[in-house]
Amino acid sequence: MTWHETKAEVKGDRMMANRQNSERTRVMIVEQDQKFGLKLADWLATHGYHPVFIRTVNAAIDALAGFRPKAVLVGLGCSTSAAEADLVEVPLLIQTICPSVPVIMMADQSSEDLTHVVFRQGVRRFLVKPMECSHIGAVLQSELSAAAA
């Protein structure tokens, strides 16, 4: 086998991987907790999704238009002032860039005030951590099915 044949095979493998990823449902994960975000991304990938894990809100907003996800999972830490600022801005920005994309928020703690703010900003589901990836997957699939209907 010559160098050109090897290069063509590698390029063909990359094209096949890109084609497989483009056929999979794209899901953006915005999560500051790297361990949880990677665990969730791995679970989603093994269950047929094409996840992209991003740790900051600003990077996620920049990537939204290019990635064009079918759903966005946003994790909030337990810092209430940061959480409130994110809750007000993030869902609105996501809805502006990708109006029909379901947004699912995940938080370390739940309060009545937090849930009211979340749903007023266009979030479809609010999940309280800790939770199993399979539960997030079930909620995600439910929202994707509702969005497709």
Side-chain angles (χ1 to χ4, degrees):
M1 184 170 356
T2 69
W3 178 81
H4 294 288
E5 291 171 323
T6 305
K7 186 177 176 183
E9 284 180 11
V10 170
K11 185 176 179 182
D13 289 344
R14 284 186 191 148
M15 288 173 61
M16 178 63 82
N18 286 341
R19 189 175 318 120
Q20 288 172 343
N21 280 339
S22 69
E23 294 169 0
R24 297 165 61 161
T25 302
R26 295 177 307 279
V27 177
M28 180 177 284
I29 303 165
V30 184
E31 174 64 57
Q32 293 175 351
D33 179 348
Q34 184 172 5
K35 184 178 177 182
F36 179 76
L38 290 173
K39 178 182 174 183
L40 180 57
D42 184 53
W43 189 92
L44 290 171
T46 60
H47 287 82
Y49 295 95
H50 177 188
V52 168
F53 169 52
I54 300 176
R55 293 192 63 198
T56 68
V57 171
N58 290 336
I61 297 303
D62 291 342
L64 271 173
F67 183 61
R68 295 195 289 165
K70 297 293 182 189
V72 180
L73 300 167
V74 180
L76 299 173
C78 55
S79 147
T80 52
S81 62
E84 287 174 11
D86 285 347
L87 282 174
V88 172
E89 296 174 17
V90 173
L92 291 174
L93 289 169
I94 293 170
Q95 292 299 316
T96 300
I97 297 167
C98 303
S100 61
V101 171
V103 178
I104 301 168
M105 300 290 276
M106 306 172 291
D108 290 336
Q109 59 187 8
S110 178
S111 73
E112 193 172 323
D113 293 339
L114 195 59
T115 56
H116 288 301
V117 172
V118 167
F119 290 116
R120 278 197 316 261
Q121 300 305 329
V123 171
R124 295 199 189 172
R125 296 281 184 102
F126 181 77
L127 305 174
V128 180
K129 297 177 187 174
M131 70 200 85
E132 294 295 320
C133 291
S134 58
H135 177 69
I136 298 169
V139 170
L140 173 62
Q141 187 56 53
S142 170
E143 289 302 314
L144 290 169
S145 296

